[in-house]
Amino acid sequence: MAHQDKTHIWDMVEIGNTAPLYVFEVTAEKIADYCRTARYENLVYTNQPAARETGLPGIIAPPAMALVYAPVRLEELLEARGLLPSPGRAAQLGIPSANVALQFYGVLVEPGDVITSVTSVQDKSQGQKDKSVTLQVIARNQRNELVAQCQYTYCWKEV
């Protein structure tokens, strides 16, 4: 892949750019599927009586499930700006792996919750030998309570 492609996304995005809203309905089945995939065995995530025994109102979504109900949506952000004409193209643009930071606000995510999240460009910086873009995902439930905030920082090293 050409060097130019590796910085292409950095050149395209601006602080404040946002992707369309993402809406995710949480169900007991989706929580159970996530737990199976992630190999979580804690019964508070999949068993109502076990969850209630610990003082919870019922089963809850594991905190890391935020990556599912509030995913980073870089490709959709680029498409919304008219910068990515064909789906799946973002993977071809040399996007490096990201550093991820999750922050939670004490609001339990339970079956029946509808989580709405938005991805936006929070920061963009350039040093002498690197460039980075930080995307922020803010997730709120149907009561407009802040559930989680995720930050993804993509870094490109200049050669």
Side-chain angles (χ1 to χ4, degrees):
M1 180 164 300
H3 172 68
Q4 178 182 9
D5 287 340
K6 293 188 183 218
T7 58
H8 191 58
I9 288 174
W10 189 91
D11 293 331
M12 291 191 294
V13 298
E14 297 297 332
I15 293 173
N17 291 158
T18 60
L21 293 177
Y22 179 77
V23 179
F24 185 91
E25 185 175 345
V26 179
T27 66
E29 294 78 22
K30 288 177 183 175
I31 293 172
D33 288 346
Y34 178 83
C35 288
R36 267 191 303 280
T37 301
R39 297 184 182 180
Y40 286 173
E41 296 179 6
N42 189 332
L43 293 179
V44 301
Y45 303 134
T46 57
N47 182 287
Q48 289 286 5
R52 288 191 177 115
E53 279 181 27
T54 67
L56 293 169
I59 64 172
I60 60 170
M65 193 171 168
L67 300 172
V68 174
Y69 63 71
V72 66
R73 301 183 66 232
L74 177 57
E75 191 165 307
E76 290 84 352
L77 186 147
L78 295 172
E79 286 175 359
R81 297 200 62 224
L83 299 171
L84 199 61
S86 59
R89 173 96 167 95
Q92 300 170 3
L93 294 177
I95 301 172
S97 58
N99 294 322
V100 180
L102 298 173
Q103 186 172 6
F104 301 96
Y105 296 91
V107 176
L108 298 177
V109 175
E110 305 172 66
D113 282 346
V114 177
I115 308 297
T116 301
S117 64
V118 64
T119 299
S120 63
V121 178
Q122 188 70 26
D123 189 37
K124 179 178 175 179
S125 63
Q126 181 174 3
Q128 286 185 345
K129 295 196 177 224
D130 63 354
K131 294 179 179 181
S132 67
V133 171
T134 300
L135 301 180
Q136 181 179 55
V137 183
I138 296 178
R140 296 183 179 276
N141 63 18
Q142 69 277 7
R143 294 176 296 281
N144 202 33
E145 297 168 316
L146 185 58
V147 173
Q149 180 176 307
C150 310
Q151 286 189 325
Y152 298 80
T153 301
Y154 299 92
C155 297
W156 292 266
K157 300 287 181 196
E158 298 294 324
V159 226

